[in-house]
Amino acid sequence: MRTQAREIEAIERRVIACRRCPELVTYREEVAREKRRAYRDHEYWGKPVPAFGDPLARVVLVGLAPGAHGSNRTGRMFTGDASGEWLYRALHRAGFANQARQADRNDGMQLTDALITAAVRCAPPGNKPTPGERAACLPYLEAELAALHGVRVIVTLGKIADDSVHRIVKISGAYRTPRAAFKHGAETQIALPASPEATILASYHPSQQNTNTGVLTEAMLDAIFTRAQELAQAR
Ligand code: SF4
């Protein structure tokens, strides 16, 4: 199991050093230099954002991409913006996080049995990575899912994350039930080489666009993590 943690660490070192997408490298560094007024005293991360959480997790959350002034600033998945506030509060209510409050990499947050990663690891302009950028970044997610043994649930936060995980299933895994169309709560049972009994559990993304309009409520997100717990513990 220590080997698994070391493998994940090695993947994250490669992620942090990556410069494969020239436009995203320029964008993430430009944002980090120019900064948002409210954060002018902050030192921005400005690099690809590594996965965060328990390297022995049975529950993996897959987001879209770092927010320009969120995790591109703090260097930790879903940290430093409104989406992260929602997500970590829900993870805390479900018992995956030791605290609800998230602020930066030194806020004391710890996850148990959950690891957060993303389809794309550099902040994209307008939160919209191109198909080429999504394809370029996919091998990192694939490598993480190959290194994590015994994953039981992959929570896909939004359609792009869902598509990325299904792409990996098509490349290196198999479907145990037909692929469910993306909608909140949709489940597809899959087998991956390192995780032969996993379920993709789709969720709407906790973006402000969804949370401010009631498309995603706290109760709906809680239902996802309650179900994730059930699936993780099922024999
Ligand atoms: S998006 Fe992924 S592949 Fe592209 S530069 Fe960032 S880490 Fe590398």
Side-chain angles (χ1 to χ4, degrees), residues 52-113:
F52 169 65
D54 185 349
L56 306 180
R58 290 176 301 177
V59 178
V60 176
L61 282 68
V62 183
L64 164 57
H69 301 279
S71 42
N72 186 54
R73 173 173 60 87
T74 62
R76 194 177 70 193
M77 285 287 168
F78 277 94
T79 302
D81 59 18
S83 301
E85 274 176 31
W86 261 71
L87 185 68
Y88 283 108
R89 276 206 311 263
L91 288 171
H92 182 241
R93 288 193 297 271
F96 289 111
N98 66 329
Q99 61 188 44
R101 184 188 153 272
Q102 54 79 46
D104 56 39
R105 291 203 308 285
N106 302 313
D107 59 14
M109 182 72 73
Q110 286 176 8
L111 300 184
T112 303
D113 209 13

Side-chain angles (χ1 to χ4, degrees), residues 170-192:
K170 283 183 195 141
I171 294 167
S172 58
Y175 284 102
R176 295 186 294 127
T177 58
R179 177 178 178 174
F182 179 78
K183 69 172 185 180
H184 193 75
E187 294 183 17
T188 307
Q189 291 179 22
I190 58 160
L192 292 171

Side-chain angles (χ1 to χ4, degrees), residues 138-160:
L138 196 70
Y140 294 124
L141 181 58
E142 200 179 353
E144 285 163 352
L145 291 175
L148 292 163
H149 288 258
V151 169
R152 300 301 300 269
V153 190
I154 303 171
V155 178
T156 51
L157 297 164
K159 176 86 167 66
I160 288 180

Side-chain angles (χ1 to χ4, degrees), residues 25-36 44 46 67-70 72-73 123 125:
V25 171
T26 303
Y27 181 70
R28 77 191 189 206
E29 292 178 355
E30 214 170 75
V31 169
R33 258 193 325 273
E34 290 174 3
K35 305 182 182 182
R36 178 176 279 173
Y44 274 56
H69 301 279
N72 186 54
R73 173 173 60 87

Side-chain angles (χ1 to χ4, degrees), residues 8 15 34 39 45 50 89 111 120 128 139 159 161 164 171 188:
I8 294 289
V15 166
E34 290 174 3
Y39 304 126
W45 174 254
R89 276 206 311 263
L111 300 184
V120 172
K128 287 197 174 78
K159 176 86 167 66
S164 293
I171 294 167
T188 307

Side-chain angles (χ1 to χ4, degrees), residues 14-25 28 47-49 65-66 119-124 129 132-140:
R14 291 208 310 274
V15 166
I16 292 169
C18 185
R19 303 180 71 81
R20 206 176 283 163
C21 308
E23 286 180 19
L24 292 190
V25 171
R28 77 191 189 206
K47 295 186 283 255
V49 179
V120 172
R121 316 301 279 266
C122 292
E133 289 158 355
R134 286 158 56 182
C137 216
L138 196 70
Y140 294 124

